[in-house]
Amino acid sequence: MADKILKTCLLAGRIMIEGGSEMYRVDDTMARIAKNAGETAPQVFTTPTGLFIGVAGQPDVQIAPVSQRGIDMEKVAGVNNLSRQFAAGEIDLDALYAALEKLDRNTPFFPVWLQIIAAALCSTTLMVIFAQKYDFFDMPLAAVVGAIGFAVYLRMSSLTKVRFMSELLGAFAVGLAAWLGVRLGVGRSLNNVIVGAVMPLVPGVAITNSIRDMLAGHLLSGMARGMEAILSACAIGAGVAIIFRFF
């Protein structure tokens, strides 16, 4: 029974970390599942790359590696809902584990074309915010450039596990497409177009979560996620800087 409890907690925690959840939320969810299953003193330790859990009075400790991390709030919300149902007695431990496995395999997601359209809309609106004016001449170009950059980012993410490489190439595509658009007369302000179009690539959630983790006392996880966000920002900056350096 204890082995099944630990496996369920580890599965829930791994899904949440892969979905981009804060570490203190992962800790709390794993501990609540263990306590609601009858373990009064679970010992949980979480990092961005691995999870550890044990129970008081037993020597066994189980671990689970976390090989990939992204942003998928659907997974985080799904685990939270299942945890609440388990706490309310609506499902038992076996049903919870089966539901978590199903969530891990079949998480619904938006199609790629819809994500690209959303990136285009985000690029346009954020360009207006940062430029502090409605530049209707540059708005279509910002939308197209943002869509191109995000499409390149998604494509490279599927081809390589080096996250920073996909972000660098996505930012490079943003800079190159914006430069070509301005040179062809489709846009006027290269800076405004790039600032808006690059925003869908910016790791805003990772930066926010790193700060929240550190405020909650998870210094190791907070610093690790903060460094990951900084490296992502540097990769994006380097991709754009290449355009300004050579074009």
Side-chain angles (χ1 to χ4, degrees), residues 71-72 74-75 105-115:
I71 304 299
D72 192 341
E74 190 78 22
K75 282 189 174 183
R105 294 192 306 266
N106 304 310
T107 303
F109 61 92
F110 293 106
V112 173
W113 64 267
L114 187 57
Q115 295 182 46

Side-chain angles (χ1 to χ4, degrees), residues 174-246:
V174 166
L176 182 61
W179 178 80
L180 288 174
V182 173
R183 286 295 299 268
L184 294 174
V186 182
R188 289 179 298 197
S189 176
L190 179 61
N191 292 337
N192 289 346
V193 173
I194 289 180
V195 166
V198 82
M199 291 308 295
L201 305 178
V202 174
V205 175
I207 295 172
T208 302
N209 285 349
S210 69
I211 295 174
R212 294 184 68 178
D213 281 339
M214 286 189 283
L215 292 176
H218 291 260
L219 300 180
L220 178 62
S221 300
M223 289 187 290
R225 282 190 163 182
M227 181 57 65
E228 186 177 40
I230 290 173
L231 290 175
S232 296
C234 290
I236 294 171
V240 175
I242 293 174
I243 299 300
F244 285 103
R245 174 62 179 83
F246 296 103

Side-chain angles (χ1 to χ4, degrees), residues 108-169:
F109 61 92
F110 293 106
V112 173
W113 64 267
L114 187 57
Q115 295 182 46
I116 294 175
I117 291 176
L121 295 175
C122 178
S123 301
T124 303
T125 53
L126 288 176
M127 189 205 75
V128 172
I129 292 175
F130 287 111
Q132 298 183 0
K133 62 179 180 179
Y134 286 96
D135 191 346
F136 294 103
F137 190 80
D138 285 334
M139 288 173 65
L141 179 60
V144 173
V145 171
I148 292 173
F150 194 73
V152 171
Y153 166 75
L154 290 178
R155 180 59 179 168
M156 293 307 302
S157 296
S158 64
L159 296 177
T160 178
K161 293 184 178 180
V162 182
R163 175 182 175 183
F164 309 118
M165 182 60 67
S166 59
E167 291 168 342
L168 182 135
L169 293 177

Side-chain angles (χ1 to χ4, degrees), residues 41-53:
Q43 306 296 319
V44 180
F45 181 74
T46 59
T47 71
T49 56
L51 300 166
F52 303 79
I53 186 171

